[in-house]
Amino acid sequence: MIQRLSSRPDRRSRARARGRRASRILFALAAMAALLGVDAPAALAVPPLGVTGTAPADVTAGRVGALFAGGQGGGHFCTASVVRSPDRDVIATAAHCLGSLDTTYFAPGYRDGETPYGLWKLTDMYVAPGWTDSEDPDEDIAFATVAPLDGRRIEDAVGGFAVAAEQPADATVSIVGYPSGEDSPLHCANGTTLLSDTQRRIECPDLSGGTSGSPWLVDGALAGVLGGYEGGGTVPEVSYSAVMGDQAVELYREASDNG
């Protein structure tokens, strides 16, 4: 069932990023690598688990983008990502990020104020009744479709992530997302635990407001989005996602079929 939602802001009541802690860590690692005679780019190719830094401009980051209110001039407030579908036009985000179809745009690969793949207008939303009726945090995963741009479908432009349910409790997750005060995406990977049967938890610093809806990727497949319990978390160091359950998979199938 397609659920129409009224506009609502990002609900994550988080502190802003606490300076450039991740940058300082990476700088220190680079300096150590130089002292030891280790090639710095190779040493830093895979950041340590639990460290947040700027996401590289690669294929993964190109499939993730910022959601804008009323176009780029309205500022970005949440994150979304492209997932695979027959009509190649479906994105995933948190249910609490979806507002008016008339004013929400998606910018995949957004970086340094630039929209390399353009702005894509949302055309429909697929949200669980449990979220619409009572904002059930276990139903804070949603999907939307976007209109073609210049004759192209969004998945043709950037590709898309597979959707993967039933991940183990201790799955290692990679997150790419846009804090509302940043114009480039952040990345962090770490092991996860289950807060409950329906909520997953991760420790990653500096994932502040605006990262709601960020994809939680397990082996390159979407296993959740930042949101759920406490709207995704009340402090930047700990974040949550609703577990990708049967309801979320059914929404994904509906969005894919109707796109």
Side-chain angles (χ1 to χ4, degrees):
M1 178 183 296
I2 301 171
Q3 302 291 327
R4 304 281 195 254
L5 299 184
S6 59
S7 179
R8 55 170 65 92
D10 182 6
R11 296 169 60 245
R12 303 183 74 211
S13 301
R14 293 179 159 211
R16 288 288 186 243
R18 302 155 303 142
R20 300 290 183 181
R21 188 176 101 179
S23 297
R24 293 197 299 270
I25 292 172
L26 292 176
F27 179 82
L29 289 173
M32 183 179 295
L35 289 173
L36 296 176
V38 178
D39 181 68
L44 299 178
V46 180
L49 294 179
V51 173
T52 300
T54 301
D58 57 11
V59 171
T60 295
R63 297 173 181 174
V64 182
L67 290 177
F68 285 84
Q72 192 172 350
H76 59 90
F77 61 91
C78 270
T79 303
S81 59
V82 183
V83 292
R84 296 176 187 171
S85 64
D87 285 340
R88 308 179 305 285
D89 62 353
V90 178
I91 63 173
T93 188
H96 76 257
C97 289
L98 292 180
S100 171
L101 289 173
D102 295 331
T103 60
T104 304
Y105 291 81
F106 174 60
Y110 178 70
R111 188 177 295 262
D112 298 329
E114 301 293 330
T115 57
Y117 304 103
L119 282 169
W120 302 70
K121 188 177 183 300
L122 272 64
T123 57
D124 229 329
M125 306 177 193
Y126 299 81
V127 181
W131 177 263
T132 305
D133 296 341
S134 61
E135 297 190 353
D136 182 350
D138 293 341
E139 307 292 355
D140 198 10
I141 298 176
F143 298 88
T145 52
V146 297
L149 183 64
D150 298 329
R152 300 183 72 191
R153 301 278 181 163
I154 194 166
E155 195 177 333
D156 293 333
V158 300
F161 300 119
V163 173
E166 300 181 0
Q167 295 298 318
D170 59 350
T172 297
V173 163
S174 294
I175 299 175
V176 178
Y178 291 83
S180 56
E182 302 281 346
D183 281 331
S184 293
L186 299 182
H187 168 270
C188 181
N190 210 350
T192 60
T193 58
L194 288 181
L195 177 70
S196 67
D197 290 341
T198 54
Q199 295 287 329
R200 191 180 294 277
R201 179 183 186 275
I202 192 170
E203 294 187 8
C204 274
D206 300 329
L207 297 182
S208 57
T211 56
S212 284
S214 300
W216 287 37
L217 303 172
V218 177
D219 295 328
L222 185 83
V225 300
L226 202 154
Y229 178 67
E230 294 181 340
T234 57
V235 294
E237 294 80 14
V238 181
S239 298
Y240 301 91
S241 168
V243 170
M244 182 76 70
D246 293 342
Q247 176 67 79
V249 171
E250 181 58 32
L251 287 174
Y252 167 60
R253 289 173 178 162
E254 187 175 352
S256 299
D257 291 344
N258 292 342

